[in-house]
Amino acid sequence: MEQLITIQNGNKQNSVFSSEEMEARLGKLRAQMESEQIDAVLFTSIHNINYYNHFVYCSFGRPYGLVVTQEKHKSISANIDGGQPWRRGYGDNIIFTDWEKDNYFRAIKQEIPNRGRVGIEYDHFNIENQIKLQDLFPDAELTDISKISMRQRMVKSDEEIELIRNGAQVADIGGAACVEAIGEGVPEHEIALHSTQAMVREIARRYPDSDIMDTWTWFQSGINTDGAHNPVSTRKVQKGDILSLNCFPMIAGYYTALERTLFFDHAPERHLEVWEVNVEVHKRGLELIKRGNRCCDIAAELNKIFQKHDLLQYRTFGYGHSFGTLSHYYGREAGLELREDIETMLEPNMVVSIEPMVMLPENMAGAGGYREHDILVVTDEGSENLTGFPFGPEHNIIR
């Protein structure tokens, strides 16, 4: 049986991004490769393969790749996907079969010469595979490409910003659907399903040629609000519950989000106090998203507000992060997070969230997790807020 094959089944599908956009990304990467004297790059992560190839792979235990040189641009996919990686991907494709072990590495050997410097993603390529790759290329030097590509992805193109803007609008629709479904005795999962269906249908309307995949909603109530990524449960909403609305549309591998604190029927006095502090932090955070501000300085200033109200010790994570090609199971532009240890300076066309959260444990007055979340584009003059869903007690006590 053949080790490597090609399947050009059907016709190339329309991309969410233009060919000019994809070529611009590759042009910037190749210029950086030339500057760093990198002869070939092997991307292996979902986010970078999506960014430079437009295909979002589903691993299911199989490795994937994208080879980029000054002349070549070819994805490496598993036979289980048939012609989809070629149809959806921008550029060429080679398929490895399952008939023999390590056919994936045979594909790499065919596409990359055994010489010069080969860039790989140190933050994704595991040690076992690095050893195999070095054995495959004894005359080549392996070097890290992950930080170079991350810095490129951190500054968004106009087409990317337009997609993220649409995603934020879809998230607002999901939020409205969540509110519509909230009622006494309604389980979290039913509210989440209603929201997700609304978002999926809107994505299909706006992007009829895109893959419809991975959009989801986390709707949490009561004690389940204590974690930002807690899964949906069967818990039923009761009067006086603190609620977390979390809507996540996925369009062509690009994640957007809407997160809001809500209460059902009424908010007890201490809960209202804590909620208003978190809103104060959120509003100040929105003001601080502007060119020239450093991520660490934004975090430090917002810390002061929580500290003033004796709530800093209940903060659970950083104040925001970059947006683009990322998801709950892949990707992260770690160099653009609003945390005390990140010194990156904000630039125009960076896209970041402001999302303060505090969590008070169950044995305290005001117990629960409080979180607001907006998406902003850094501009020359300041920032543009892409999120339209209202926040705060005057809007989100649901009766």
Side-chain angles (χ1 to χ4, degrees), residues 238-250:
Q238 304 300 320
K239 289 182 178 180
D241 270 350
I242 185 172
L243 311 171
S244 282
L245 177 159
N246 309 269
C247 298
F248 305 114
M250 290 290 294

Side-chain angles (χ1 to χ4, degrees), residues 379-392:
T379 65
D380 288 326
E381 297 77 25
S383 65
E384 176 191 358
N385 192 336
L386 304 184
T387 301
F389 198 94
F391 60 87

Side-chain angles (χ1 to χ4, degrees), residues 190-205:
E190 290 293 343
I191 297 168
L193 282 170
H194 188 61
S195 168
T196 300
Q197 287 177 347
M199 291 191 291
V200 167
R201 288 172 178 143
E202 183 63 16
I203 292 170
R205 187 187 71 80

